[in-house]
Amino acid sequence: LSKLKELAEESHKKQIEITDKLGFQVRESVIKFIKILDRANKESKSELLYGVPNDTIYQMSVSTIIKLVFVLYAEQKSMLPHGELLYDKAYGLHTLMSLLNEQKASEELAHRSDAYQQIVALFNIIYHGSNHPDMLSPRYGGEIFDPQKFPLLLDERFEPKNEEIYEILWLLTHADGKIGKE
């Protein structure tokens, strides 16, 4: 019985460790997204974020990362049409991550900026739904996916680079550091 209790305590400790690591990686993703907004603002000669309060910038960033986490989870749990050809090829985050991995290997990653548009399209599909016969998806709606909540994220001057998107998705899909015995 003491061995069972010891294993349970060790399991609980590891759960806390994993939760802490994932929380850190989500926070890092938010920081990276804020840096993307900052870079885009500098490139627009400070016009993109002109008059936008810091708390709104933070909310936009957190909202985007929460949406990504939700989609990654929903794809894994088959709540979205992950596994269907059209969805995977044009919208899926897991497929996008694979594509970005290929671009990284071929050194294309730093020179492209089309990944974010795929993510925006995915968020729109989730919000509005799809009645396309090859990709039926219900309209989920909801405030978090409302494309009008943060219209700045749709501004043409906001163009995250594939490399930046890759870094965020990497943080959200890969455990960082050692988990388990050291």
Side-chain angles (χ1 to χ4, degrees):
L1 187 64
S2 65
K3 183 68 174 169
L4 184 59
K5 183 178 177 185
E6 187 180 311
L7 286 172
E9 287 173 359
E10 185 178 332
S11 174
H12 180 71
K13 186 173 138 184
K14 286 180 181 178
Q15 259 183 330
I16 291 170
E17 182 181 336
I18 290 169
T19 301
D20 288 348
K21 286 179 181 182
L22 290 174
F24 174 77
Q25 287 175 233
V26 168
R27 284 189 301 277
E28 283 296 305
S29 297
V30 170
I31 290 167
K32 284 189 179 293
F33 198 83
I34 290 169
K35 288 179 179 179
I36 295 168
L37 284 164
D38 185 54
R39 178 194 51 75
N41 189 52
K42 287 175 184 168
E43 289 174 359
S44 75
K45 298 180 175 105
S46 298
E47 292 176 5
L48 180 66
L49 297 177
Y50 180 77
V52 179
N54 288 342
D55 63 325
T56 300
I57 293 167
Y58 181 74
Q59 289 171 10
M60 282 189 295
S61 301
V62 168
S63 172
T64 301
I65 300 306
I66 287 173
K67 288 185 276 194
L68 291 171
V69 168
F70 171 82
V71 170
L72 289 165
Y73 177 81
E75 283 184 359
Q76 202 150 22
K77 296 296 181 183
S78 300
M79 296 165 62
L80 292 171
H82 180 53
E84 292 183 22
L85 183 63
L86 181 58
Y87 178 86
D88 286 347
K89 188 171 178 135
Y91 302 100
L93 285 185
H94 286 90
T95 308
L96 177 60
M97 187 64 188
S98 295
L99 176 67
L100 295 175
N101 264 325
E102 290 172 19
Q103 289 178 8
K104 183 178 183 196
S106 69
E107 299 182 13
E108 276 184 75
L109 197 61
H111 307 290
R112 298 191 58 171
S113 297
D114 54 345
Y116 181 70
Q117 294 309 314
Q118 181 173 332
I119 291 170
V120 169
L122 170 61
F123 291 168
N124 281 326
I125 289 288
I126 291 170
Y127 184 76
H128 295 291
S130 170
N131 58 7
H132 190 282
D134 292 334
M135 194 187 79
L136 296 174
S137 182
R139 179 190 191 284
Y140 288 103
E143 183 181 341
I144 193 165
F145 283 97
D146 184 352
Q148 296 309 310
K149 183 169 183 179
F150 297 116
L152 184 138
L153 295 175
L154 304 175
D155 189 298
E156 65 185 23
R157 295 171 294 183
F158 181 60
E159 190 175 24
K161 301 190 181 331
N162 285 13
E163 188 170 39
E164 295 166 323
I165 297 299
Y166 174 81
E167 290 171 1
I168 287 172
L169 289 175
W170 178 264
L171 280 169
L172 296 176
T173 57
H174 292 80
D176 187 26
K178 286 186 177 178
I179 297 173
K181 292 189 178 191
E182 299 191 40

